[in-house]
Amino acid sequence: MEAATAPEVAVGSKLKVKEVSPADAEPPQASPGQGAGSPTPQLLPPIEEHPKIWLPRALRQTYIRKVGDTVNLLIPFQGKPKPQAIWTHDGCALDTSRVSVRNGERDSILFIREAQRADSGRYQLRVQLGSLEATATIDILVIERPGPPQSIKLVDVWGFKATLEWTPPQDTGNTALLGYTVQKADTKSGLWFTVLEHYHRTSCIVSDLIIGNSYAFRVFAENQCGLSETAPITTDLAHIQKAATVYKIKGFAQRDFSEAPKFTQPLADCTTVTGYNTQLFCCVRASPRPKIIWLKNKMDIQGNPKYRALTHLGICSLEIRKPGPFDGGIYTCKAVNPLGEASVDCRVDVKVPN
């Protein structure tokens, strides 16, 4: 008799066919006491559908649950007539006090009411139908919060910084650590503030501490479930002392800004029309503030109501009110202070309109 060939199976499951020897293929022999009228042996029903396991995609990688969570896995399979489904845990039979199994016509359910870390491991489902079988494996990992770091030590304090060291926790919660969270608290407020998160080393430098405060530090371990429930606190406080400041006063040489008058913008010659006011402008620089004197044809015109002289921030102006033909000539602006004097001239022509 030829061995049955196995069809294609779903991903994550394996189909095995037990070999049949020629001796097993011979028809059963009747015993001497079995006469011709004795009933014939009962034969197994024919296999209409080979066993196959359809492993869900989410279970093709490690299935992670937290301690106390419910595990409820439904694994569909096929096979006709109904195959026998058998579960094992790490190669051993299931602990029926913790794990329950329900096998249906087309699926098998594995149920754990409250998962514990001991439930982690490799579970195998084997579906058998006569000499054919299919297998699928599921890796389950049950995790919980990690334990706290074993100790924390304040190594050094300098300036506005402090150096800390700690040792990893003994219990990581049955999974890899994601890092550490470092917190600080000053003795005045007693409030904890996070300074580092997801930190992977077991030593760090905490900076930006405030002068005059004293600080305590603590470190939490972290994994997929969260932070450890407790954290060790440094026994020594970090005192941020104010350094003595010595002020050195540098000698300051008083600069002498005194200078004789100097015109930075001279007067400009101009031509005006009879009856229209005219203004003359110039700029002077001097220290101390100079005295400004206006002259016309070398004659002092201070106090003459026909002229109005103004000086502001070194800008000197002279307004000639409604000039007449006799107001033309050479105008001079003279600046005088104790350090000297300076002057500028311009020509003003007054024309009579036609």
Side-chain angles (χ1 to χ4, degrees):
M1 178 184 297
E2 296 181 356
T5 59
E8 182 182 358
V9 297
V11 177
S13 64
K14 299 179 181 179
L15 180 65
K16 298 181 180 179
V17 181
K18 296 182 179 179
E19 296 182 357
V20 181
S21 63
D24 296 335
E26 295 179 359
Q29 299 291 334
S31 61
Q34 188 175 16
S38 300
T40 59
Q42 185 178 2
L43 299 177
L44 293 176
I47 297 177
E48 300 180 15
E49 191 176 46
H50 287 224
K52 185 187 298 184
I53 299 176
W54 304 99
L55 191 63
R57 185 179 298 273
L59 300 180
R60 298 177 189 174
Q61 55 189 0
T62 302
Y63 184 68
I64 301 177
R65 303 298 291 171
K66 296 180 181 179
V67 170
D69 288 353
T70 299
V71 177
N72 190 12
L73 305 180
L74 187 147
I75 312 299
F77 59 79
Q78 72 175 27
K80 194 172 182 182
K82 178 183 176 181
Q84 182 183 12
I86 302 173
W87 284 89
T88 58
H89 178 203
D90 291 334
C92 301
L94 297 180
D95 182 3
T96 55
S97 63
R98 295 198 42 77
V99 184
S100 59
V101 173
R102 187 195 66 81
N103 295 323
E105 294 290 336
R106 290 289 182 176
D107 55 45
S108 180
I109 298 176
L110 178 75
F111 181 78
I112 305 175
R113 185 174 299 277
E114 292 184 358
Q116 300 297 326
R117 289 170 58 170
D119 297 323
S120 302
R122 173 160 293 186
Y123 290 78
Q124 185 180 64
L125 172 62
R126 187 169 71 252
V127 176
Q128 291 181 337
L129 186 58
S131 60
L132 302 177
E133 73 174 26
T135 60
T137 58
I138 302 171
D139 292 321
I140 297 179
L141 181 64
V142 182
I143 63 175
E144 62 182 342
R145 290 189 178 189
Q150 298 181 57
S151 63
I152 181 174
K153 181 174 62 175
L154 179 65
V155 178
D156 192 14
V157 179
W158 79 100
F160 310 102
K161 302 178 181 180
T163 302
L164 306 175
E165 288 184 356
W166 60 90
T167 54
Q170 290 183 343
D171 182 10
T172 61
N174 205 28
T175 185
L177 292 178
L178 297 180
Y180 299 93
T181 295
V182 181
Q183 295 182 342
K184 68 178 180 180
D186 63 89
T187 54
K188 295 180 180 178
S189 66
L191 301 177
W192 291 98
F193 297 92
T194 300
V195 294
L196 291 172
E197 288 183 302
H198 311 302
Y199 189 77
H200 294 283
R201 299 182 180 178
T202 56
S203 63
C204 72
I205 297 176
V206 180
S207 57
D208 298 329
L209 302 177
I210 299 175
I211 291 179
N213 286 356
S214 298
Y215 291 90
F217 303 92
R218 66 182 182 182
V219 179
F220 292 88
E222 182 180 8
N223 63 9
Q224 287 180 264
C225 289
L227 299 177
S228 56
E229 295 182 358
T230 59
I233 303 176
T234 53
T235 55
D236 299 328
L237 295 178
H239 303 283
I240 310 302
Q241 299 179 353
K242 185 177 181 180
T245 304
V246 179
Y247 294 96
K248 295 182 179 180
I249 301 176
K250 296 182 179 180
F252 179 74
Q254 183 69 32
R255 182 178 177 183
D256 186 9
F257 292 96
S258 301
E259 62 175 330
K262 178 181 179 181
F263 283 91
T264 59
Q265 182 68 35
L267 293 172
D269 296 341
C270 68
T271 301
T272 185
V273 179
T274 302
Y276 290 90
N277 292 351
T278 301
Q279 289 185 329
L280 305 178
F281 294 95
C282 62
C283 297
V284 66
R285 183 179 67 199
S287 182
R289 183 178 179 180
K291 179 182 178 181
I292 304 300
I293 303 172
W294 285 94
L295 306 172
K296 176 192 173 186
N297 296 329
K298 298 184 180 181
M299 298 293 293
D300 190 349
I301 57 175
Q302 301 290 337
N304 191 331
K306 191 175 184 63
Y307 305 98
R308 187 175 69 167
L310 298 174
T311 302
H312 180 66
L313 299 177
I315 301 175
C316 307
S317 64
L318 178 68
E319 180 181 5
I320 306 174
R321 299 174 177 175
K322 297 182 179 181
F326 299 100
D327 291 322
I330 303 298
Y331 285 82
T332 302
C333 180
K334 180 186 289 186
V336 181
N337 75 356
L339 298 180
E341 64 179 43
S343 62
V344 289
D345 303 326
C346 73
R347 174 179 290 277
V348 176
D349 294 326
V350 181
K351 294 184 177 182
V352 179
N354 296 332

